[in-house]
Amino acid sequence: PLHFACWRLGNVDLIAYLVERAGANIDSQDTFGRTPLHIACMQKDINLVRKLEELGADIHATSKNKETALHY
């Protein structure tokens, strides 16, 4: 759900709710090893990137291709 919310919706308040209230894992990985932070960077959504960092996203997490979110 968190990846979908980042990819399709980009709603900062919804992301915060999912992490803080619903217990979503902020560093969960999709089938490619990408975290929600990777997705937000791919979308070039700076507000979402900032919120994920504020919520404690791991900026050093790597995908299966060994890419961090900064690669995007």
Side-chain angles (χ1 to χ4, degrees):
L2 193 54
H3 284 82
F4 179 80
C6 289
W7 191 260
R8 300 286 180 166
L9 305 175
N11 184 320
V12 174
D13 294 329
L14 176 60
I15 303 304
Y17 174 83
L18 289 172
V19 173
E20 296 175 330
R21 306 274 178 146
N25 179 355
I26 198 163
D27 292 317
S28 62
Q29 295 181 307
D30 65 11
T31 55
F32 300 102
R34 298 176 302 204
T35 66
L37 185 58
H38 283 91
I39 304 301
C41 288
M42 290 171 69
Q43 295 288 92
K44 301 190 184 343
D45 187 335
I46 191 66
N47 291 325
L48 188 52
V49 169
R50 287 182 180 148
K51 178 52 88 173
L52 289 167
E53 288 178 339
E54 177 184 309
L55 292 169
D58 181 2
I59 62 170
H60 302 292
T62 57
S63 68
K64 288 183 178 179
N65 292 331
K66 305 294 183 215
E67 296 173 324
T68 68
L70 297 176
H71 282 93
Y72 302 100

